[in-house]
Amino acid sequence: MNTIIKNGRVLDPAHGIDMSCDLLIKDGSIADMSPNIEVEDAECIDASGCLVTPGLIDIHVHLRDPGFEYKEDIESGTRAAAAGGFTAVACMPNTAPVNDSKATTRYILEKAAQVAHTRVYPVGAITKGLKGESLAELGDLKNAGCVAASDDGHPVTNGEIMRRALEYARSFDLPLISHSEDLTLVGDGVMNDGFVATELGLRGIPWVAEVAAIARDVMLAEYTGARLHIAHVSTRGAVDIIRAAQKRGVRVTAETAPHYFTLTEDAVRGYNTNAKMNPPLRSGDDLEAIRAGLADGTLSVIATDHAPHHLDEKNVEFNLALNGIIGLETSLPLTLRLVEEGVLSLSEAIFCLTAGPARALNLPGGTLEVGRPADVTIIDPEVKWTMDPAAGRSRSQNTPFGGWKLKGRAICTLVDGRVRFKR
Ligand SMILES: [Zn+2]
């Protein structure tokens, strides 16, 4: 079975490729990239006016399965992912049961094999039950198919346990993902600490709650020589620490999410619970620093932290609302806004959605190299559309971007050369 994607602008940032040509897919793999490919019996996809990129990869997604299927499950979450242009997602372990055992990892992979629209890479827990007390069997989790370990949703508060986790993970080159917050500094805060919080009468979370925790974990990564990935960076101080550590050669990568380079704490005004997330939306100064961190490569990954919640969990008083927003179908257009605004080149933007995340977690994919599995995303960069949460594929609708006028979206998503989504 052959497919030719014709007349697109083919972008493969990992190899510095940006050219108008055709892409040939043969038996599920990328077979050729050149102008005017002619092959008999090939199905043609016209990509005129479109970008043809490596399949987008989101390494921070909550699929909520097992245990919270009323919010999302592996089928609905990956359907939203494919519609957003993603060919692979990494799913976080804060499910019920927690993914701290090979049995749960196997459940995720077996269900994904049956129902998923994208590749699914499970992330295992660092500690049993995400309790921060004793280490999960990281070797078993890796052998069962976990690509990384994280207690996402919770920090590993005990420094000695984090040190042992890093030393243990280093022995089999498993990246650890740090959800960085110092809970004693977070206290009972519900939004960024500052003027807006004071005005709204809401308790604040100071930026140093994130920065202090990242400082510890980055130093532990330097001390142990292990690989560390920092989740959802939201502050200027965090970008500064990560940049300096990378200059020293510490094996640390970091991601931010579209909401942190698009929105500030102002979005909380009106007690908008769809602007409540953890870490919280920060100041305009932090937003500028996040953009600068993306521009200079300190932050090499854009990940959504897709966190579906039921309407009843958001339609409550701000203090009681659960943290998080969905993001799979808005990540690409919000990232393309950075190109429009001159923050990133198109190639840099696509890098942060493809090769950047692939490298951070050692995943296959993220490039269009000949011979690789044909995970490909076709993007119309010019199409204008209005974001309607009810029209999304996710089971949940908690997004602050409802009604936004966006530009650019995936029109076709192929995994292993098979069309998994087409608009
Ligand atoms: Zn987190």
Side-chain angles (χ1 to χ4, degrees), residues 123-352:
V123 175
I126 296 174
T127 67
K128 287 181 184 147
L130 306 176
K131 292 198 173 94
E133 290 160 5
S134 56
L135 289 187
E137 291 296 340
L138 300 180
D140 280 2
L141 289 169
K142 176 162 183 178
N143 289 336
C146 286
V147 296
S150 179
D151 274 5
D152 188 52
H154 309 270
V156 177
T157 53
N158 182 313
E160 169 62 9
I161 288 175
M162 191 63 177
R163 171 195 167 181
R164 283 199 287 120
L166 285 160
E167 284 173 342
Y168 189 21
R170 185 193 56 191
S171 64
F172 35 83
D173 207 30
L174 185 74
L176 292 195
I177 303 173
S178 170
H179 166 110
S180 306
E181 54 177 344
D182 180 324
L183 293 178
T184 63
L185 292 167
V186 169
D188 51 8
V190 293
M191 71 169 290
N192 188 45
D193 193 30
F195 180 72
V196 181
T198 307
E199 196 183 284
L200 294 177
L202 294 171
R203 287 181 301 274
I205 301 170
W207 57 261
V208 70
E210 169 171 295
V211 180
I214 288 177
R216 185 203 72 175
D217 282 356
V218 164
M219 294 314 294
L220 284 172
E222 183 163 17
Y223 181 75
T224 59
R227 290 171 60 130
L228 180 70
H229 178 74
I230 309 288
H232 41 57
V233 171
S234 71
T235 56
R236 174 176 291 278
V239 176
D240 289 344
I241 286 172
I242 295 160
R243 184 184 287 123
Q246 288 171 344
K247 284 205 177 110
R248 292 198 302 279
V250 181
R251 299 167 79 201
V252 58
T253 55
E255 75 193 27
T256 191
H259 35 283
Y260 300 117
F261 59 70
T262 307
L263 300 173
T264 66
E265 58 196 339
D266 281 322
V268 177
R269 287 180 197 281
Y271 302 93
N272 178 7
T273 57
N274 280 330
K276 184 178 180 187
M277 58 272 289
N278 188 21
L281 296 172
R282 303 286 185 178
S283 69
D285 180 61
D286 290 304
L287 177 142
E288 289 307 324
I290 295 295
R291 289 174 166 216
L294 285 166
D296 74 7
T298 304
L299 307 174
S300 58
V301 179
I302 294 172
T304 61
D305 196 2
H306 177 81
H309 289 301
H310 192 273
L311 188 62
D312 293 345
E313 295 164 326
K314 282 291 195 181
N315 208 358
V316 293
E317 188 192 318
F318 194 88
N319 283 318
L320 301 175
L322 296 186
N323 283 312
I325 61 169
I326 59 170
L328 288 165
E329 292 182 70
T330 47
S331 180
L332 172 62
L334 292 172
T335 300
L336 292 174
R337 275 164 59 104
L338 294 179
V339 180
E340 194 99 346
E341 292 175 28
V343 177
L344 299 181
S345 69
L346 181 60
S347 177
E348 288 167 340
I350 298 299
F351 182 91
C352 291

Side-chain angles (χ1 to χ4, degrees), residues 51 53-54 56 58 81-86 258 261-262 302-304 327-339 346 349-350 353-354 377-381 383 385 406-413 423:
L51 313 175
T53 72
L56 310 185
D58 187 346
F86 293 98
F261 59 70
T262 307
I302 294 172
T304 61
L328 288 165
E329 292 182 70
T330 47
S331 180
L332 172 62
L334 292 172
T335 300
L336 292 174
R337 275 164 59 104
L338 294 179
V339 180
L346 181 60
I350 298 299
L353 293 167
T354 56
T377 303
I378 305 176
I379 299 162
D380 180 344
V383 63
W385 59 288
L406 298 172
K407 194 170 140 193
R409 75 200 311 195
I411 58 161
C412 187
T413 307
R423 205 176 295 281

